[in-house]
């Protein structure tokens, strides 16, 4: 059952990527929505789940929050190092580094893989839990597909690479769900991963996606897309609970 439901997540991810491609003439709205979706996923879905699952504290701070901050810093350091390397090779100052987009998209694929594992584990617990998790995974995988394509293309990668990462993101939950037929990922490592990944996503949303969305089009419509993205994730989380 988990694998069958994961096929729905596969289709929703592709639908999200398709939507991101079709509105290129409203790029600022796409980026505004993507930033809102990412912020909503981090604050309303990933971080609460990480705090619940990771457990334990390090010097009085929850492990999930330490990894959250660590993910933010790692994303910042990696981007700056790649930018310095690009400048050293004669690239224009301020240019986008394609490796950052591919790394971010790869992280999205890893998140979708974890979604599939969570889906399979939920069905092992019981049908009710499985249905609740399935609703959350299938619905927010539209946002994952949307963000994966947007992140890859935003950093200067061509359409072929963006589609390749989109397809990998779509397949990942199916692979994750199927893997639970063989083993189950322990809760604490999954929570730690979600905390770290949340920090990476927050950096990309706040330092890259949203500033780019408002750079040339500081319009109210862009702002409303961002708010709408957060509200949409809130709705999904509320329905799933």
């Amino acid at each position: 059952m988990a694998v069958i439901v994961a096929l729905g997540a596969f289709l929703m991810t592709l639908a999200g990527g398709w939507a991101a491609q079709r509105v290129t003439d409203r790029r600022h709205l796409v980026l505004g929505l993507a930033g809102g979706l990412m912020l909503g996923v981090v604050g309303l879905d990933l971080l609460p789940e990480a705090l619940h699952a990771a457990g334990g504290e390090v010097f009085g701070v929850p492990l999930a929050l330490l990894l959250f901050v660590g993910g933010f810093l790692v994303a910042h350091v990696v981007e700056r190092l790649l930018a310095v390397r690009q400048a050293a090779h004669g690239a224009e100052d301020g240019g986008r580094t394609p490796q950052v987009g591919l790394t971010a998209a790869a992280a999205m694929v890893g998140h979708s893989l974890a979604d599939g594992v969570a889906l399979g584990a939920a069905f092992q617990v019981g049908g009710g839990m499985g249905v609740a998790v399935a609703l959350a995974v299938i619905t927010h995988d539209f946002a994952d597909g949307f963000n994966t394509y947007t992140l890859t293309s935003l950093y200067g990668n061509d359409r072929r690479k963006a589609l390749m990462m989109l397809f990998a993101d779509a397949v990942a939950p199916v692979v994750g769900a199927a893997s639970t037929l063989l083993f189950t990922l322990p809760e604490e490592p999954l929570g730690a991963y979600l905390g770290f990944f949340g920090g990476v996503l927050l950096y990309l949303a706040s330092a890259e996606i949203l500033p780019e969305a408002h750079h040339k089009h500081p319009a109210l419509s862009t702002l409303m897309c961002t708010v709408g993205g957060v509200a949409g994730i809130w709705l999904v989380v509320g329905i799933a609970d």
Side-chain angles (χ1 to χ4, degrees):
M1 178 60 71
V3 175
I4 293 173
V5 172
L7 291 175
F10 172 86
L11 296 176
M12 286 296 285
T13 303
L14 293 181
W18 178 85
Q21 294 178 66
R22 299 297 296 179
V23 289
T24 52
D25 59 331
R26 293 289 185 269
R27 186 169 178 268
H28 59 291
L29 299 180
V30 171
L31 294 176
L33 179 61
L37 291 172
M38 291 168 72
L39 178 59
V41 167
V42 171
L44 306 178
D45 187 14
L46 292 182
L47 196 53
E49 181 63 28
L51 286 169
H52 173 73
E57 294 185 351
V58 180
F59 289 104
V61 179
L63 176 62
L65 289 182
L66 285 176
L67 290 169
F68 176 75
V69 174
F72 189 99
L73 290 176
V74 166
H76 177 59
V77 170
V78 168
E79 185 189 36
R80 289 299 90 206
L81 290 177
L82 289 173
V84 168
R85 180 182 177 186
Q86 186 184 44
H89 286 79
E92 295 182 3
D93 184 38
R96 299 284 178 179
T97 52
Q99 296 94 327
V100 172
L102 291 175
T103 301
M108 294 295 295
V109 173
H111 170 56
S112 293
L113 183 66
D115 277 351
V117 172
L119 181 63
F123 272 101
Q124 290 179 0
V125 171
M129 176 67 73
V131 170
V133 174
L135 178 62
V137 168
I138 290 177
T139 307
H140 95 251
D141 270 1
F142 180 88
D144 284 352
F146 190 98
N147 289 335
T148 298
Y149 186 88
T150 301
L151 282 169
T152 308
S153 57
L154 175 64
Y155 284 85
N157 293 286
D158 59 30
R159 185 172 180 270
R160 180 182 63 83
K161 289 182 179 179
L163 289 175
M164 177 183 70
M165 296 308 298
L166 174 64
F167 184 75
D169 189 49
V171 171
V174 180
V175 174
S179 72
T180 60
L181 300 175
L182 304 175
F183 63 89
T184 301
L185 185 67
E187 186 178 38
E188 288 193 7
L190 179 59
Y193 166 78
L194 291 177
F196 182 84
F197 178 59
V200 173
L201 276 191
L202 181 62
Y203 175 80
L204 293 172
S206 60
E208 297 294 332
I209 302 295
L210 291 177
E212 181 70 14
H214 293 277
H215 178 60
K216 295 182 180 179
H217 296 277
L220 180 61
S221 58
T222 306
L223 180 60
M224 293 306 296
C225 281
T226 302
V227 175
V230 175
I233 296 298
W234 187 13
L235 178 63
V236 170
V237 172
I239 291 174
D241 289 341

